[in-house]
Amino acid sequence: MNAKENALRIIHFDHPERVVTGPPIYELLYYGVNHEGFDGGGHDSPVGTSWTDIWGTGWHKELAGVMGFPRHNPLAEVTALKTYEWPDPDDERICQRIYDLAAQRPDQDSFLTGSHRDTLWEKAYMLVGMENMMVYFHTEPEFVREVLHRIMDFQIGIARHYLKLGVEMVRLSDDLGTQKGPLLSPRIVQEFLVPEYERLFSLYRERGVLVDFHSCGNVEAFVPVFMRLGVSILNPVQATANDLDKIRSMTRGQMVLRGGVSSALLMEGPPERIAREAQQRIWQLGREGGYFCAPDQGLPFPQAHVDAFVAAVDAYGRYPLSPPAA
């Protein structure tokens, strides 16, 4: 079977031929999804660059190979909401890139995929400031609800463009965990975020679109929420922040996991340890399908370590799997 067919077997826990690092995708992106501004800038800007994105958030790029950091939050003050101009998902400067990329799609052997990076929570703290958001959940709940609702209005507008072009998968992202536990309390997530997530998820569920959701850190408390919303693939399931056996037992047969391989190990090596880690995770998380073996963070890893990891997935990811040596 080809890569797309094998990925579908993984996603449906349906006897895939092999474990791979991820589904083959061809990704559609709106202008601004990677923090671009109408005057330039964005995720791949040179170190030292400062710019303002399409939302009015000010950015500064500090480290090579790592996204910039927000330095100005246009909605830091509650009163700023009255005069704030929300970006329009139908603005051709924003949405035309989606159609240009779709026209350049080379083949049908990958999943046509749309991106909703910084889907809700992350976009909110970029606009408001993280500390401010943490306070406003309690002191200005109606302000928070309005901000989240308007952000999701934008995401739904973008989703309609993706659906018009027939996307088969979408990628969403909101980091909801720290290294040791939830970043936001389950009550806050349920009360403020879930109703807005449901608006977007239901739109995609009705069309049978697969949802790949990224959330860093410890996300054990949110796994049931993700499953109820209809997440198809959860990444990156950080190995050092989660009980991977627990998450696998909660999601077995219902939700695919992608990640689980320590990014610290991939950075440090040596290749032999990387290979052992890949084999262990494949056996631990992928014995019944439902697993893409990948790093639990995207970082500028040494190429020799990347090569060792890819080779290990190819060597140990063929079904039927073999347990690692003791």
Side-chain angles (χ1 to χ4, degrees), residues 31 36-40 52-55 87 91 93-94:
Y31 186 83
E36 301 95 338
F38 292 125
D39 295 321
T52 300
D53 70 13
I54 66 170
W55 297 80
D91 183 333
R93 296 174 298 173
I94 293 173

Side-chain angles (χ1 to χ4, degrees), residues 32-320:
V33 73
N34 289 322
H35 313 140
E36 301 95 338
F38 292 125
D39 295 321
H43 182 90
D44 296 322
S45 296
V47 171
T49 302
S50 296
W51 71 96
T52 300
D53 70 13
I54 66 170
W55 297 80
T57 299
W59 292 83
H60 183 73
K61 181 66 172 277
E62 297 184 13
L63 300 170
V66 180
M67 63 178 270
F69 294 90
R71 287 291 179 258
H72 169 70
N73 312 112
L75 292 177
E77 300 293 334
V78 172
T79 55
L81 187 59
K82 295 179 181 179
T83 57
Y84 180 73
E85 295 186 11
W86 295 90
D88 179 359
D90 297 324
D91 183 333
E92 289 191 358
R93 296 174 298 173
I94 293 173
C95 67
Q96 185 57 46
R97 175 189 279 182
I98 298 171
Y99 295 91
D100 293 343
L101 288 169
Q104 298 165 21
R105 187 184 185 190
D107 55 54
Q108 307 295 315
D109 295 333
S110 56
F111 294 94
L112 186 63
T113 302
S115 175
H116 291 278
R117 185 180 184 180
D118 312 326
T119 307
L120 183 62
W121 154 244
E122 290 191 315
K123 184 57 66 185
Y125 77 65
M126 291 169 187
L127 289 171
V128 178
M130 184 176 288
E131 184 175 342
N132 292 334
M133 279 293 293
M134 295 292 195
V135 173
Y136 290 159
F137 277 122
H138 302 280
T139 64
E140 301 287 346
E142 294 311 310
F143 167 82
V144 170
R145 288 189 178 92
E146 177 70 12
V147 169
L148 295 173
H149 193 78
R150 295 298 295 270
I151 291 169
M152 193 55 77
D153 284 346
F154 176 87
Q155 300 291 13
I156 288 173
I158 291 296
R160 297 194 190 283
H161 292 291
Y162 290 152
L163 289 169
K164 184 177 180 180
L165 291 166
V167 293
E168 303 161 275
M169 180 183 294
V170 288
R171 301 209 298 173
L172 283 61
S173 65
D174 270 329
D175 290 339
L176 300 176
T178 71
Q179 190 68 18
K180 295 185 180 297
L183 179 63
L184 302 174
S185 75
R187 182 189 70 81
I188 291 291
V189 170
Q190 189 65 46
E191 181 178 341
F192 289 92
L193 302 187
V194 169
E196 296 299 333
Y197 282 142
E198 179 59 31
R199 296 172 62 204
L200 183 61
F201 274 79
S202 63
L203 189 63
Y204 284 128
R205 283 200 310 267
E206 291 167 2
R207 305 292 188 91
V209 175
L210 299 167
V211 175
D212 183 333
F213 193 94
H214 169 95
S215 188
C216 287
N218 183 296
V219 295
E220 294 172 17
F222 303 125
V223 167
V225 176
F226 296 148
M227 290 194 290
R228 286 197 302 271
L229 286 168
V231 171
S232 310
I233 303 169
L234 176 64
N235 77 81
V237 285
Q238 284 181 242
T240 57
N242 295 281
D243 181 335
L244 298 184
D245 287 326
K246 178 180 179 181
I247 289 183
R248 178 74 291 173
S249 68
M250 296 167 69
T251 60
R252 185 174 291 114
Q254 300 179 70
M255 186 168 69
V256 177
L257 304 178
R258 181 176 184 228
V261 175
S262 168
S263 55
L265 177 57
L266 267 168
M267 187 64 74
E268 296 167 3
E272 295 78 11
R273 284 189 64 206
I274 294 169
R276 289 197 298 271
E277 170 94 350
Q279 185 183 22
Q280 178 183 351
R281 296 299 177 227
I282 288 170
W283 179 253
Q284 179 183 20
L285 302 175
R287 293 201 294 275
E288 300 165 341
Y291 179 55
F292 294 103
C293 185
D296 62 14
Q297 287 297 326
L299 294 170
F301 302 116
Q303 188 58 48
H305 295 178
V306 174
D307 293 343
F309 170 69
V310 172
V313 174
D314 183 63
Y316 299 119
R318 306 280 171 160
Y319 287 96

